[in-house]
Amino acid sequence: MFRLTATCLIAICLLLTACGNETETVLQNANNTPSPSVNPTNNSIETENTDQVNNTDKPAPSVPSSSEISGEEDSETLPDAGNEPAQEEIPKMYHMNGNYFIKPNDESVEKKVVLLTFDDGPKEESMINQLIDTLDKHNAKAIFFVNGYRVKNNPDLLKLIHDRGQIIGNHAWDHEDLKKMSNADAAKQLEDVQDIVKDTIGVTPQFFRPPFGSGNDALKAVVDKNEMLYMTWSNGSLDWDKSTKDQPDKVIQNVLDQLNPGSNILMHELPWTAEALDGLLIKLKEKGYSFVDPRSIELKIR
């Protein structure tokens, strides 16, 4: 009997001791550690170690978005995503008269200007870069009148001219006399260039010059329908003539001999013209001339 009583007392003491330890543990956990987390996969209770507890004051890692996972930026953060840069807006301060001179729209606009143009390209990368390097040096813009067959053979050269900030003009598909063609064939010569330029650089020319300056009313109507300005020139450099071949000084002098306010200067993509250009632009500036931005010219003759 005594043994049974002693055994019961011992068991009771052990139970009381265990309850006291469990209560102390619960109190310590309540005061010093966060509540245990529940694993959502099996609903079992997990106890975090000390290092994990110390990290609980740090923000939880964010869940990556689908665009981050795919390596693509959110389209909302990309301005004009997939679009060409907006075309620079240039005020229309000039117009062209019936003799193809550039005239100011009012007396407040500078009248001692010239229009620089280059025909029959695009031909060679080095020559184009030389011309544009010189234009950039003098902060000048020019129209590069291109032939469609050359664009077809050298699309990258058309892109080069456009990407370097110069202006593309339409010079018909082939360098042939459009007046000697049927009206339909002449129209095709013009419109095929519009199409290939648009396909290559994303914009269509706004200026048209017929080969040899040879056109007629039917051709002018097609130009007007395509919202372009028809022009020939008012100042010929004669750089195409054998008398000026390899003689850049003669190219310069030919231009100066015909110089007037508003001169529309005809030049070509030729090595001696590229060599002459810097000297020509220097002399023009010395005479008080500046270089009209073609984009500031209205697309109607008046």
Side-chain angles (χ1 to χ4, degrees):
M1 181 66 179
F2 174 78
R3 290 180 179 178
L4 178 59
T5 302
T7 301
C8 290
L9 289 172
I10 292 171
I12 291 169
C13 289
L14 290 173
L15 285 171
L16 289 173
T17 301
C19 289
N21 290 339
E22 184 177 355
T23 302
E24 182 179 358
T25 300
V26 170
L27 290 173
Q28 288 176 345
N29 286 341
N31 292 330
N32 299 322
T33 63
S35 301
S37 60
V38 178
N39 187 323
T41 57
N42 57 21
N43 294 328
S44 64
I45 296 178
E46 297 174 342
T47 304
E48 297 176 324
N49 61 33
T50 303
D51 290 337
Q52 290 171 327
V53 170
N54 290 339
N55 289 332
T56 57
D57 60 344
K58 297 181 181 179
S62 60
V63 179
S65 66
S66 59
S67 60
E68 290 173 326
I69 293 171
S70 66
E72 299 175 353
E73 295 187 57
D74 193 326
S75 61
E76 291 184 358
T77 66
L78 293 174
D80 299 324
N83 295 328
E84 290 288 328
Q87 294 295 311
E88 185 181 358
E89 290 293 332
I90 304 294
K92 301 296 186 184
M93 300 184 295
Y94 294 91
H95 65 274
M96 185 170 286
N97 71 10
N99 293 319
Y100 307 112
F101 280 88
I102 307 303
K103 297 295 183 180
N105 286 349
D106 59 63
E107 293 181 359
S108 68
V109 179
E110 176 57 52
K111 68 177 182 179
K112 283 191 78 172
V113 297
V114 296
L115 174 63
L116 305 172
T117 69
F118 301 93
D119 285 12
D120 299 354
K123 291 181 180 177
E124 298 176 10
E125 181 178 355
S126 60
M127 188 162 49
I128 290 169
N129 277 322
Q130 184 180 354
L131 289 169
I132 299 179
D133 286 345
T134 302
L135 292 170
D136 287 348
K137 174 184 174 182
H138 294 277
N139 195 28
K141 298 292 185 186
I143 304 173
F144 285 74
F145 283 102
V146 300
N147 294 121
Y149 79 94
R150 290 190 185 276
V151 173
K152 182 179 179 180
N153 293 333
N154 300 286
D156 289 343
L157 297 184
L158 184 76
K159 292 176 185 175
L160 172 63
I161 297 169
H162 177 69
D163 290 346
R164 293 201 60 181
Q166 297 300 320
I167 315 306
I168 303 298
N170 184 328
H171 199 39
W173 188 271
D174 298 300
H175 201 281
E176 297 180 4
D177 190 338
L178 301 180
K179 258 178 34 171
K180 295 180 180 179
M181 299 181 185
S182 69
N183 290 343
D185 287 344
K188 181 172 171 53
Q189 284 274 323
L190 181 154
E191 292 179 337
D192 283 354
V193 174
Q194 293 295 90
D195 290 342
I196 196 171
V197 171
K198 177 67 179 294
D199 291 344
T200 305
I201 62 172
V203 295
T204 51
Q206 293 186 311
F207 303 96
F208 178 79
R209 174 177 283 158
F212 313 109
S214 180
N216 54 30
D217 289 342
L219 182 63
K220 291 177 182 179
V222 177
V223 172
D224 189 59
K225 176 185 135 187
N226 282 271
E227 300 180 337
M228 288 190 288
L229 177 63
Y230 180 100
M231 71 173 75
T232 60
W233 57 88
S234 59
N235 184 314
S237 67
L238 295 178
D239 59 351
W240 55 270
D241 189 77
K242 64 181 180 180
S243 65
T244 60
K245 184 178 179 181
D246 298 322
Q247 298 189 65
D249 289 344
K250 283 195 173 182
V251 175
I252 295 172
Q253 194 57 51
N254 287 338
V255 171
L256 297 180
D257 288 346
Q258 305 167 65
L259 186 61
N260 284 288
S263 285
N264 175 359
I265 302 173
L266 168 66
M267 295 176 283
H268 295 78
E269 283 188 29
L270 293 168
W272 47 93
T273 303
E275 188 177 344
L277 187 60
D278 185 49
L280 173 62
L281 301 191
I282 288 172
K283 288 184 180 295
L284 289 171
K285 289 199 290 189
E286 288 174 350
K287 291 180 178 293
Y289 283 84
S290 58
F291 315 113
V292 67
D293 188 324
R295 296 168 296 179
S296 69
I297 303 171
E298 294 176 356
L299 300 182
K300 293 283 188 181
I301 288 179
R302 61 183 174 96

